[in-house]
Amino acid sequence: MIKKCLFPAAGYGTRFLPATKSMPKEMMPIVNKPLIEYGVEEALEAGLNEICIVTGRGKRALADHFDINYELEHQIKGTSKEETLKDIRHLIESCTFSYTRQREMKGLGHAILTGRAIIGDEAFAVVLADDLCIHPDDGVLSQMVRLYNQFRCSIVAIQEVPKDQTHKYGVIAGDIIREDLFRITNMVEKPKPESAPSNLAIIGRYILTPDIFEIIRNTPPGKNGEVQITDALLSQAKNGCVLGYKFKGRRFDCGSVEGYIEATNYCYDNLYLKK
């Protein structure tokens, strides 16, 4: 059983400056709830109640958010505003939260390796909070955990993207197992459209087997001098099996201003107003 979910959250969020100069990008609100809270809810829905967060400088708000604020709760106790804390209280009571710090920004692969101390020697999920995934009945991690229970190998979430957008993503090629599932044979980090192996892009949901840590450790820096998880997963795929899963649901790229606004409007109309 997978119980742990890792949130790499040490990045600077430069696309949202100046807001992220003093606020973690993972704490940017979609309507009235921070991005990372949506991710933790998705993890808990999938049965992952051990939340592991890789932080960096200026990220203390993450730990404060998943903690009790006695002064605030005293002030609103007995008022209608107390109801607004119901969801976060449920997460605090249902999950454990562990933190470790990434001292240098050396890429997603390095961030995941930094989490080894709190993950240990077991399979785990990874969520990139600025990829907001919404499914009304069956979260993306829930879908992926069921697949892991069947295949017992690393799995990455993928979706089709326009061909001219492949330079923004890790892109896979693979053998079709079924309409929504591929055994990966190739992965390329941010390829130019003319050299992309397909238009199937990796998005911010992973399930990884624990051998990935040693693979990352032995993976040399790649694009931009960073340790790319794509390179490590390609090594794992060549020596074993990595699956690409076309998930059900909607994904919003909240690392971009356009995606962030789209997500806010969607969540306001479909989640916030329907509470």
Side-chain angles (χ1 to χ4, degrees), residues 85-97:
L85 295 182
K86 181 179 68 174
D87 291 346
I88 186 63
R89 279 176 174 166
H90 175 66
L91 293 182
I92 293 170
E93 292 166 1
S94 303
C95 300
T96 61
F97 295 86

Side-chain angles (χ1 to χ4, degrees), residues 97-115:
F97 295 86
S98 302
Y99 303 86
T100 191
R101 191 153 171 159
Q102 185 183 18
R103 293 186 295 273
E104 298 177 86
M105 305 299 109
K106 293 183 178 180
L108 178 57
H110 181 263
I112 291 172
L113 182 60
T114 301

